[in-house]
Amino acid sequence: MIKKFACVLWLATMALPALAQTLDEQLLAAQMAYQQANNLQEQAQARLTQAQAAKQQADQRLADAQMAAQRAAEELSAATAANTAASEQLQQHTRQLQEAWQRKEAGG
């Protein structure tokens, strides 16, 4: 009986290092998996931060472009009105000049 107990005890002491090695390997594998997942999360967070900044910049550029387009449309409208007024004035003065020449030729 003591011989059996000693044999079982000897087998148990032999199995402990193997079991410990398995636990150490499991711990190491878990640590490596955690580090890999942590690195991936950090990369994803950095990508998210960069994408948010790029979106914010694009939104600002869009707002600036819309404002510039609005100002350009207002300037185009004002320039069109000024051109129309100048054309009408030119036509009026052209008629007056023609009438003055006609009076001069008729009277002269």
Side-chain angles (χ1 to χ4, degrees):
M1 176 87 171
I2 293 180
K3 224 178 187 186
K4 273 186 167 178
F5 180 73
C7 186
V8 168
L9 184 60
W10 180 80
L11 285 174
T13 57
M14 288 288 128
L16 279 177
L19 180 62
Q21 184 179 10
T22 302
L23 291 176
D24 285 344
E25 289 173 353
Q26 289 175 358
L27 178 60
L28 181 60
Q31 287 174 333
M32 291 174 64
Y34 169 83
Q35 288 175 352
Q36 184 178 18
N38 188 50
N39 288 340
L40 288 174
Q41 194 281 326
E42 288 175 356
Q43 290 172 3
Q45 180 63 44
R47 182 179 175 191
L48 175 62
T49 300
Q50 184 179 17
Q52 287 171 333
K55 172 73 166 73
Q56 188 176 14
Q57 290 173 352
D59 287 343
Q60 185 60 50
R61 286 193 306 269
L62 175 60
D64 292 345
Q66 288 172 331
M67 183 63 71
Q70 179 64 35
R71 285 192 299 263
E74 291 168 359
E75 176 58 25
L76 177 59
S77 179
T80 300
N83 185 57
T84 300
S87 292
E88 290 172 359
Q89 192 175 26
L90 177 61
Q91 288 174 359
Q92 179 183 2
H93 290 293
T94 300
R95 282 191 306 271
Q96 289 173 350
L97 179 60
Q98 288 172 346
E99 291 171 359
W101 274 109
Q102 286 174 358
R103 283 191 300 272
K104 168 128 175 88
E105 288 175 353

